[in-house]
Amino acid sequence: FSILFILSVVILPGLGVSYDFDEKSSMSLISKGFVERNKHFIMIAVGICMVLILHNLVNSFLIRMVENVGGSSDALGLALAIAAVCELPVLFLYDNFVKKYNISTQLLIFVSCLFFVIRGVFYLFATNLVFIYATQILQCVSFALLIASKTHFADEGVGEEDQATGQSIMTMTEAISMVLGSAIGGWAISLGGVNMMYLVGITFAVAGALIVLVMYLSNNRVELI
């Protein structure tokens, strides 16, 4: 599959379009100007990153979670399959849903963060595989909703000259949270087992959700004025 992917990229025809990036836009990721112009956006990204730490804890140590309630590798495969299947409807229907009901992207980001917290609590109190499987269904309103929402917010939350940088930062939230989640999860499990990992992950998710909520409320107050 990797070979097929590489071949498809090689034979992909070019668009025949050239893009000119000025120094300001190409260096905006590391420039102080971007941060000053988009403080609200940066704080939302920080909140998302903290919430995704819980997501990566679950992904990295799901086998330990399954084993904790008496499951094995076959149960792990089923749990991953449930989550993957539940993501697809939201990813496909997100655009139509937002356009039809005209819902704020920031509000949807907060809703997804809230469901991450709920998932973490459910994992904490899971006593059997059925509970784990049921909790995996919430992937549709947590991870899938967050991925779709933050992608759109990367365009809406910054000016046109900063959109490429905005997308890069939103992508970085996943990479950063993956590194932190792996390191923190391993430390937490070594320190106090799977339950300690849950508690640490939930703490990060709650903090991240609160940051997103505060940013959403502050933004609405500005709009009302």
Side-chain angles (χ1 to χ4, degrees):
F1 279 113
S2 297
I3 292 173
L4 290 174
F5 174 75
I6 294 172
L7 290 174
S8 67
V9 173
V10 171
I11 65 175
L12 192 68
L15 293 175
V17 179
S18 62
Y19 298 92
D20 296 323
F21 296 101
D22 57 27
E23 182 179 353
K24 180 180 178 181
S25 63
S26 63
M27 298 299 292
S28 60
L29 181 60
I30 59 175
S31 70
K32 184 179 179 181
F34 178 86
V35 176
E36 291 179 346
R37 291 192 301 271
N38 302 285
K39 292 179 180 178
H40 182 89
F41 179 86
I42 294 295
M43 290 305 298
I44 293 285
V46 170
I48 289 173
C49 187
M50 296 179 72
V51 170
L52 284 175
I53 287 176
L54 173 61
H55 171 74
N56 284 289
L57 284 176
V58 172
N59 275 1
S60 298
F61 300 99
L62 186 57
I63 183 61
R64 296 293 299 273
M65 296 161 57
V66 168
E67 290 174 346
N68 194 50
V69 292
S72 57
S73 57
D74 57 339
L76 170 66
L78 180 56
L80 290 172
I82 291 172
V85 169
C86 290
E87 288 178 15
L88 297 179
V90 174
L91 295 175
F92 278 115
L93 301 175
Y94 179 86
D95 284 340
N96 292 334
F97 177 79
V98 171
K99 290 178 182 177
K100 181 177 180 179
Y101 296 102
N102 194 28
I103 300 177
S104 166
T105 303
Q106 288 188 56
L107 178 59
L108 290 176
I109 290 176
F110 170 69
V111 170
S112 66
C113 292
L114 182 60
F115 274 105
F116 266 112
V117 175
I118 294 173
R119 281 183 69 183
V121 174
F122 282 2
Y123 285 131
L124 179 63
F125 291 101
T127 56
N128 53 59
L129 284 173
V130 174
F131 211 133
I132 293 288
Y133 295 151
T135 304
Q136 288 291 86
I137 296 175
L138 294 179
Q139 181 91 342
C140 61
V141 287
S142 54
F143 181 70
L145 182 59
L146 180 59
I147 291 300
S149 299
K150 77 186 186 79
T151 301
H152 283 257
F153 182 65
D155 291 333
E156 299 173 5
V158 297
E160 184 176 354
E161 73 278 8
D162 290 325
Q163 285 185 356
T165 302
Q167 289 287 358
S168 299
I169 289 176
M170 282 300 167
T171 301
M172 286 171 57
T173 59
E174 296 179 51
I176 294 172
S177 64
M178 185 179 299
V179 174
L180 293 176
S182 297
I184 293 171
W187 167 80
I189 288 179
S190 299
L191 185 65
V194 173
N195 286 341
M196 175 63 75
M197 183 196 73
Y198 290 146
L199 292 173
V200 172
I202 292 170
T203 300
F204 275 102
V206 169
L210 288 175
I211 291 174
V212 172
L213 176 61
V214 170
M215 291 297 102
Y216 169 71
L217 293 176
S218 64
N219 190 55
N220 280 347
R221 282 198 294 269
V222 172
E223 290 178 355
L224 288 174
I225 293 173

